[in-house]
Amino acid sequence: AKRMGKSNYQFYRDSINSKITGNIGMESLLRKAIDRNEFSLFYQPQIETKTNRIYGAEALIRWHNEKLGMVSPGEFIPLAEETGLIVPIGEWVIKEACRQNIAWQNAGFNCFPVSVNLSIRQFYQTDLTETIKRIIQDSGLDPQFLELEITESMAMDSETSSVILKDLKNLGVKIAMDDFGTGYSSLSNLKKFPIDHLKIDQSFVKDISADVDDRDIVATIIMLAHNLHIKTIAEGVETIDHVEFLTKHDCNVLQGYYFSKPLPAQDFENWMNNWKKQ
Ligand code: C2E
Ligand code: CA
Ligand code: CA
Ligand code: CA
């Protein structure tokens, strides 16, 4: 038993050590990733139910590193958040999304907002509004074509959040509440915050076909949002059943694999061209 204990302990130490060195390894690679041009943005279309047209696109970051290969945001965003690297990375994301959106406009595509995800650390940076203002001005983008996604849990401190959101809103950008229904949310925040879009979390959408409760939740969220004059975007729309249910319940916008997975900019352009033709 003693030996077992020791080997278990040893195993535990080793796994902790490799986790720490793994993270340190990843951290130092992450530090260099911007300068080495290792990040890119993928874009996922959002489709308006009423018109079947492209309503917007969400920009999602990807990291390709020589040693690590493709690292998903689920793996490196928490580390970037912990180390503060999220601030320069997040700035890069906003810049790149604005640049790409201008490029699409110049190429003759219809104008639509591109949304970017803000992390909690970014959200509470005191110079966030100034930074975004500068990026928008430098890019030449009409601010209504940039959307910022925040989550309920980021907005826990509702007084401070509502001041930040109003400042951001004054820039002319759009605001989306992401992952709605998963966090500790106060419904009064929805009324207090200047929110344009409410994104229904994919966990509710996933079980629409199977689970009566999730159907009721989704229908209720849509009604609630509409009473507050907020438009709804459903995430994780994967099947025709999802599309039909959400359309029937007047969800404004749909996003998910049913239409397209997130794509590199060039593939997204091809996707848009095909979508127009159908
Ligand atoms: P999110 O903002 O909730 O983004 C939606 C995630 O769902 C994306 O994963 C997307 O690829 C995935 N998805 C889209 N459609 C479907 C579908 O039909 N079914 C399923 N099962 N999944 C779908 P991704 O790209 O791996 O991003 C994961 C999370 O990482 C994002 O969740 C967001 O919280 C974070 N993230 C991504 N890019 C950024 C970024 O630039 N900055 C920050 N701070 N966070 C980011
Ligand atoms: Ca999002
Ligand atoms: Ca989401
Ligand atoms: Ca999420």
Side-chain angles (χ1 to χ4, degrees):
K2 225 177 191 171
R3 260 165 70 191
M4 253 307 257
K6 192 179 174 193
S7 74
N8 273 345
Y9 173 76
Q10 194 55 49
F11 175 74
Y12 176 71
R13 286 297 326 160
D14 288 350
S15 83
I16 285 200
N17 283 339
S18 75
K19 207 171 169 194
I20 290 171
T21 48
N23 271 352
I24 290 171
M26 194 190 268
E27 183 183 335
S28 72
L29 295 174
L30 197 56
R31 259 175 216 291
K32 299 171 194 142
I34 293 187
D35 288 339
R36 293 186 176 171
N37 254 319
E38 293 177 348
F39 292 118
S40 63
L41 293 183
F42 277 30
Y43 299 88
Q44 188 175 36
Q46 301 171 322
I47 304 299
E48 187 175 38
T49 50
K50 209 166 65 187
T51 59
N52 214 33
R53 285 166 61 166
I54 298 170
Y55 182 84
E58 178 172 4
L60 295 151
I61 195 167
R62 298 290 180 263
W63 178 25
H64 186 265
N65 175 269
E66 218 177 20
K67 261 194 231 157
L68 303 173
M70 201 64 156
V71 192
S72 78
E75 288 172 81
F76 73 86
I77 293 287
L79 182 63
E81 177 81 26
E82 239 172 79
T83 53
L85 287 167
I86 193 65
V87 175
I89 294 172
E91 226 180 289
W92 178 86
V93 168
I94 300 168
K95 257 186 225 158
E96 177 60 15
C98 290
R99 186 201 63 73
Q100 183 61 70
N101 201 353
I102 287 273
W104 282 328
Q105 293 182 7
N106 290 340
F109 290 102
N110 287 336
C111 301
F112 51 80
V114 172
S115 61
V116 298
N117 293 281
L118 291 187
S119 79
I120 187 159
R121 185 119 163 197
Q122 243 182 318
F123 186 69
Y124 287 104
Q125 286 281 308
T126 47
D127 59 355
L128 176 71
T129 313
E130 273 311 307
T131 303
I132 294 181
K133 186 177 177 182
R134 180 176 45 79
I135 294 174
I136 293 171
Q137 280 171 350
D138 290 351
S139 74
L141 186 75
D142 182 336
Q144 64 170 313
F145 297 123
L146 177 66
E147 176 148 338
L148 307 171
E149 297 197 0
I150 63 150
T151 60
E152 297 167 280
S153 38
M154 282 165 60
M156 278 285 274
D157 174 358
S158 71
E159 290 309 317
T160 312
S161 304
S162 109
V163 172
I164 298 171
L165 287 172
K166 277 170 190 153
D167 275 356
L168 290 170
K169 193 63 204 163
N170 281 336
L171 297 176
V173 301
K174 296 212 154 68
I175 310 279
M177 180 69 88
D178 199 3
D179 300 346
F180 187 77
T182 59
Y184 178 86
S185 68
S186 150
L187 292 179
S188 68
N189 285 348
L190 278 187
K191 221 168 123 179
K192 195 153 59 183
F193 295 163
I195 297 166
D196 300 282
H197 297 114
L198 192 155
K199 301 190 77 174
I200 304 167
D201 191 69
Q202 50 191 49
S203 59
F204 300 114
V205 176
K206 204 175 83 197
D207 291 333
I208 275 178
S209 324
D211 190 323
V212 180
D213 291 338
D214 279 355
R215 270 208 292 275
D216 286 345
I217 289 172
V218 169
T220 307
I221 292 175
I222 294 170
M223 267 198 309
L224 171 78
H226 289 174
N227 283 334
L228 296 167
H229 307 288
I230 299 170
K231 288 193 169 177
T232 45
I233 302 176
E235 297 189 280
V237 176
E238 292 186 356
T239 67
I240 185 69
D241 282 358
H242 296 163
V243 173
E244 281 170 357
F245 179 87
L246 292 159
T247 305
K248 192 175 112 197
H249 287 271
D250 289 328
C251 184
N252 303 100
V253 180
L254 309 180
Q255 177 183 349
Y257 296 164
Y258 179 79
F259 300 98
S260 171
K261 59 183 190 187
L263 299 169
Q266 181 62 57
D267 296 348
F268 185 78
E269 277 178 38
N270 296 337
W271 186 91
M272 283 195 286
N273 285 324
N274 286 327
W275 186 257
K276 264 192 295 194
K277 276 184 223 134
Q278 64 142 28

